[in-house]
Amino acid sequence: MSETNWPDIESQLYLRTFKRVPVTLVRGRGVRVWDDKGAEYLDMVGGWAVDTLGHCHPVLVEAIERQARTLIHTSNQFYTIPQLELATVLMQNSCMDRVFFGNSGAEATEGAVKLARRYGRLHLNGAYEIITVGHSFHGRTLAMTAATAQPKFQEPYLPMPPGFVNVEWNDIEAIKAGTSEMTCAVMLEPIQGEAGVRIPHDSYLREVREWCDEKGILLILDEIQTGVARTGTLFAYEQYGVEPDIMALAKGLAGGVPIGAVLAKESASAFGPGDHGSTFGGNPLACAAGYAVMKYVVEHDLASHVKRAGAHFMEQLDSVVADFAIVREARGRGLLIALELEQDIARDITLSCLQHGLLINSVQPNALRFMPPLIITNEEIDEAITILRTVLSSY
Ligand SMILES: Cc1ncc(COP(=O)(O)O)c(C=O)c1O
């Protein structure tokens, strides 16, 4: 195996954007990955909620290989079949009518915002403001930084592009107060992943939906992290009894191949030819991967598996909360779970787990996040818990 010091090379060559943990991964299979020294790890990070079917799942590998040999890219000047196959499976399994494919989450939310502004121009007297809520995360483009209602992301890049009204999270009155004749939409994550898996009160989404209906404005759900069975239903909105007008997807949709998607109800499908576009978005390679993943998720009812595995995981974590004073709370839905700590030691714990062969994510200074491949077994969850307990016992 290589003796090259990759972290050293990264520190010289890469823009200083990421606070990585000191391991260089070279290979993966299922829920396990291996580093350049041959050490094995159980992966509860899952590429930040992306590796839906685990690493190098044969169904996904075969789909990518087959498409790579057939047609990788053509541009959206032409019709291509994988794009329409993926569109079909998405429409058959969601409340949506139309889709546009991009390449990332930020592009998906940005596309959703553009669609809402187009709707506002056509149907709401030019209304263009989007209400977003505290602790949200919608991506890293400049406009999505303005949408992301967290000062720490906005301050380095001020001034922010106009058109976003940031209000309190989990508070329908704050959304009402932020609404004006310039509002065209409210954009929310059903569960806030990057904020540390924050779950709103049970009636919140329904209240927001009712308010949007009353005002005739659009509800955009950012299901980039919660979608594709991550929370135990194919899309998180199913658990709240609401349907969005526009939905953004990315992350797990193609199991690790970059993709993003804006989905819309026919009533909100305000784009006309030339209003939006993308060179790579929806290309045959990414869409063949997405189609293979979506088909697998639907045909194997992975959402039900996630519900069961998530319940088992939560049971184990609840006993961790009971046994360790340093742990305050476990919360989550399906396989999107956080463990909140009494102190800001999440990164220390992440580094200790790494030494013991477990990859986890310190999503906040005082919170760990678990978002493993959705094919994880109870045995693999138990293995992770055993390591976590060993690490926590030294605090
Ligand atoms: C809810 C949500 N929206 C948007 C994004 C941005 O996605 P990407 O990093 O693919 O641009 C993320 C990424 O973490 C996310 O969790």
Side-chain angles (χ1 to χ4, degrees), residues 104-107 109 137-140 189 193-194 222 224-225 250-251:
S104 68
E107 265 182 75
T109 41
F137 187 83
H138 298 295
R140 298 284 201 156
E189 300 151 83
E194 297 305 299
D222 177 349
I224 286 166
Q225 192 154 152
K251 286 195 180 282

Side-chain angles (χ1 to χ4, degrees), residues 313-314 317-318 321 327-332 337-340:
F313 205 156
M314 197 54 85
L317 286 175
D318 281 342
V321 175
V327 183
R328 185 183 296 161
E329 183 194 28
R331 55 174 179 258
I337 297 174
L339 201 59
E340 189 169 315

Side-chain angles (χ1 to χ4, degrees), residues 265-277:
K265 296 245 186 183
E266 186 61 45
S267 52
S269 298
F271 283 151
D275 281 349
H276 196 46

Side-chain angles (χ1 to χ4, degrees), residues 47 50 72-76 83 86 99-112 138-141 224 248-263 276-290:
V50 164
I72 293 177
H73 183 81
T74 60
S75 90
N76 282 303
Q83 185 179 93
L86 177 56
V99 67
F100 173 91
F101 292 114
N103 309 286
S104 68
E107 265 182 75
T109 41
E110 181 118 6
H138 298 295
R140 298 284 201 156
T141 60
I224 286 166
L249 296 178
K251 286 195 180 282
L253 181 55
V257 178
I259 195 166
V262 187
L263 296 91
H276 196 46
S278 171
T279 295
F280 290 118
N283 97 356
L285 191 69
C287 287

